[in-house]
Amino acid sequence: MKTLRIFLPVLCCISFFANAQATTHSSLASKSTQPLTTQPLTTETTVTPETTTVKTANTNSAQTLPIISEAEFSVCINLLSEKAKSAGISNNIINDNLAKANFNTRVIELDRQQPEFSLSFADYFNRRVTDQRVEQGRALMIKHRKLLNRVAQQYGVPAPYLLAFWGLETNYGGLFGNIRVVDSLATLACDTKRSDFFTGELISALRILEEGAIAPDKMVGSWAGAMGNFQFMPSAFLKNAVDYDGDNKRDLWNSTPDAMASAEKYLQSLGWQHSERWGREVKLPIDFPFLEAGLKNSRPLSEWRKLGVKRADNKPLSNDNVNASLLVPAGYHGPAFLVYANFNVIMHWNRSEFYALAVGLLADRIAGGGKLLQSPPEDGPRLRREQVITLQEQLNQKGFDVGIPDGIFGPGTRRAISEFQHQQNMIADGYPGVKILELLGVTIDSVKN
């Protein structure tokens, strides 16, 4: 039982929901940091009694992951079963589902897997907001027009946004995931990384089975347990899923009405403003003070207008007192956006500025809008995780706080770069260009041409 020490936090005093506040409704915040690969990831797995060594084709590196023996997983399942029973789950559901759960090593691999490169906005945007996805979204808007109008009238979210979420989450229902949800959640609950959160999600999944929303063998999803057309985590399902087609089941896998109405209800609960859009592309003056950019700096449109910000088509902004923040995700050479309150609602769904921009821009295209007037540059450096960590460490050492270096290029790192650029009398757009990386001692070994 040597490896049992790895799992002691799970076997003692599991708190169901302690970590839930840091996650989204879907496949956790990891969705916002793990990019799509240009080709399928192939994995060689070697299992020993205590570890799994994973070699990925993308990185040519090995990572050792802790696993548990069959006997130890059985002990964990027994304790989880007691927790489920205490939470009111019936013996039949526990015995027929949780007691038969399998430890899935692949789930642990995917949980530990980190992206080799940090995607630029151009990489992210061009892979997600494609002409094919736009055309399919427009076709589905025609196909489901009556349903979309009905749920939009009831919950207040216009159809193009709902279709954009659907397209980005599962490619309009084409990619649900194929891992049994109870297996994935039991595996993650018996791991130490986020055991409290996943134990809570496991209990929620068992409640869904108990209500008969889906047959156990049909309850499949992502490696993290996100399910159905809009990739709800089980706890979000329980709070927001609705039976919209009247068959007495909340079926987010097979019922388009249930799935669409549930997503609308969830967005409504997050505070969607039905009379506002997500944001818009804008044009900046040559002398724009880029230190004013970022989600934390919100001001009325009238003030952005005074700073010389115009609509992308050169028309003036309104003088309304609607608050907006300005984002320049690809630096001053790329597009700029003013984003409103609904942008923050999208970020509650997935805590990624790139994701939220993709939702808004895909929705605009589905609604009949054109492409960006200023395309994001595609010649930026691609940074490996360790290079981002070096960048963050250097910024911290120079007094520009990014917090604990984690290799994730987020808003805090972007802000710190902007302040460093300002100190260097450079355009403070927060973009990690070649010159900035050289000044911070980050070796560049991959530049996209």
Side-chain angles (χ1 to χ4, degrees):
M1 304 293 284
K2 183 178 178 182
T3 55
L4 186 60
R5 66 183 183 278
I6 299 172
F7 294 87
L8 288 178
V10 180
L11 305 182
C12 300
C13 305
I14 295 176
S15 173
F16 289 166
F17 303 103
N19 299 328
Q21 72 275 11
T23 63
T24 65
H25 83 291
S26 49
S27 345
L28 308 177
S30 61
K31 286 172 59 176
S32 66
T33 59
Q34 293 184 350
L36 296 177
T37 54
T38 55
Q39 55 190 6
L41 183 71
T42 59
T43 305
E44 301 172 15
T45 305
T46 305
V47 179
T48 69
E50 296 185 1
T51 62
T52 293
T53 300
V54 181
K55 294 181 180 180
T56 63
N58 289 23
T59 61
N60 293 321
S61 61
Q63 184 179 12
T64 300
L65 307 177
I67 64 170
I68 54 175
S69 69
E70 186 174 326
E72 290 162 347
F73 184 62
S74 179
V75 171
C76 179
I77 291 297
N78 288 338
L79 289 174
L80 290 172
S81 296
E82 290 300 316
K83 295 293 182 182
K85 190 178 299 183
S86 297
I89 305 299
S90 70
N91 287 331
N92 285 342
I93 290 295
I94 293 171
N95 294 335
D96 292 344
N97 297 278
L98 181 55
K100 297 178 181 179
N102 295 307
F103 186 85
N104 191 321
T105 304
R106 180 62 175 154
V107 168
I108 299 297
E109 294 168 11
L110 291 169
D111 185 43
R112 298 295 194 271
Q113 196 177 89
Q114 300 295 347
E116 180 185 8
F117 289 103
S118 174
L119 284 182
S120 69
F121 178 65
D123 286 330
Y124 188 98
F125 176 77
N126 290 335
R127 295 183 189 192
R128 287 160 176 79
V129 185
T130 64
D131 289 342
Q132 183 275 333
R133 189 162 280 169
V134 170
E135 291 169 4
Q136 188 174 356
R138 290 174 178 173
L140 288 168
M141 189 159 64
I142 295 171
K143 177 180 179 180
H144 298 294
R145 185 179 300 280
K146 290 183 179 179
L147 172 62
L148 288 164
N149 287 341
R150 190 163 69 248
V151 295
Q153 185 174 10
Q154 181 170 348
Y155 296 105
V157 183
Y161 292 103
L162 192 62
L163 289 163
F165 279 106
W166 195 17
L168 290 176
E169 289 295 335
T170 61
N171 200 26
Y172 304 112
L175 300 169
F176 284 173
N178 59 4
I179 300 176
R180 187 171 175 261
V181 168
V182 171
D183 286 350
S184 62
L185 293 176
T187 297
L188 292 165
C190 288
D191 180 32
T192 59
K193 191 176 180 184
R194 290 189 299 278
S195 61
D196 291 345
F197 170 75
F198 284 112
T199 298
E201 293 298 329
L202 176 61
I203 301 296
S204 294
L206 295 175
R207 291 192 193 283
I208 294 168
L209 290 175
E210 188 139 59
E211 76 172 51
I214 189 77
D217 62 327
K218 301 296 184 182
M219 193 187 206
V220 295
S222 74
W223 64 266
M227 311 176 299
N229 278 277
F230 289 88
Q231 293 291 277
F232 277 26
M233 289 299 287
S235 59
F237 181 108
L238 291 177
K239 293 176 183 177
N240 299 287
V242 297
D243 171 23
Y244 206 73
D245 60 11
D247 68 349
N248 296 316
K249 289 184 179 181
R250 301 191 289 176
D251 185 354
L252 304 192
W253 292 264
N254 305 302
S255 171
T256 301
D258 288 4
M260 287 185 173
S262 299
E264 285 260 353
K265 181 185 176 185
Y266 184 70
L267 289 166
Q268 181 192 60
S269 74
L270 294 175
W272 189 273
Q273 303 297 310
H274 70 275
S275 61
E276 295 183 12
R277 55 186 294 147
W278 69 274
R280 66 167 66 249
E281 185 183 4
V282 294
K283 190 173 183 178
L284 306 179
I286 296 176
D287 59 349
F288 181 78
F290 281 91
L291 280 177
E292 301 299 323
L295 280 180
K296 291 185 177 181
N297 190 3
S298 179
R299 57 177 65 195
L301 286 177
S302 56
E303 292 189 21
W304 290 116
R305 178 170 172 160
K306 290 177 182 178
L307 287 173
V309 180
K310 298 180 180 180
R311 290 173 31 165
D313 58 7
N314 275 325
K315 293 181 180 178
L317 294 175
S318 72
N319 274 315
D320 293 342
N321 287 324
V322 175
N323 283 342
S325 299
L326 189 129
L327 300 180
V328 281
Y332 75 96
H333 285 301
F337 306 94
L338 281 177
V339 297
Y340 311 135
N342 283 335
F343 185 86
N344 294 317
V345 172
I346 299 172
M347 286 196 64
H348 280 293
W349 183 293
N350 185 310
R351 299 183 187 279
S352 162
E353 290 182 9
F354 286 7
Y355 178 90
L357 286 168
V359 167
L361 293 167
L362 179 56
D364 286 351
R365 293 284 309 281
I366 290 172
K371 295 184 178 182
L372 289 174
L373 296 181
Q374 176 63 57
S375 298
E378 300 184 19
D379 59 351
R382 298 184 69 208
L383 301 178
R384 297 194 312 274
R385 192 174 185 86
E386 60 265 28
Q387 291 171 313
V388 177
I389 290 175
T390 299
L391 171 67
Q392 293 169 329
E393 290 172 343
Q394 291 296 315
L395 287 166
N396 278 340
Q397 290 177 14
K398 294 180 182 298
F400 302 96
D401 183 26
V402 301
I404 299 174
D406 57 6
I408 298 172
F409 195 91
T413 302
R414 192 182 303 277
R415 179 68 185 178
I417 289 177
S418 179
E419 293 171 353
F420 176 68
Q421 289 170 320
H422 181 70
Q423 184 195 69
Q424 300 294 316
N425 295 317
M426 302 171 67
I427 295 176
D429 60 2
Y431 185 71
V434 173
K435 180 63 174 178
I436 283 295
L437 295 174
E438 290 177 349
L439 288 173
L440 292 171
V442 179
T443 303
I444 304 169
D445 57 8
S446 178
V447 177
K448 184 175 179 179
N449 295 315

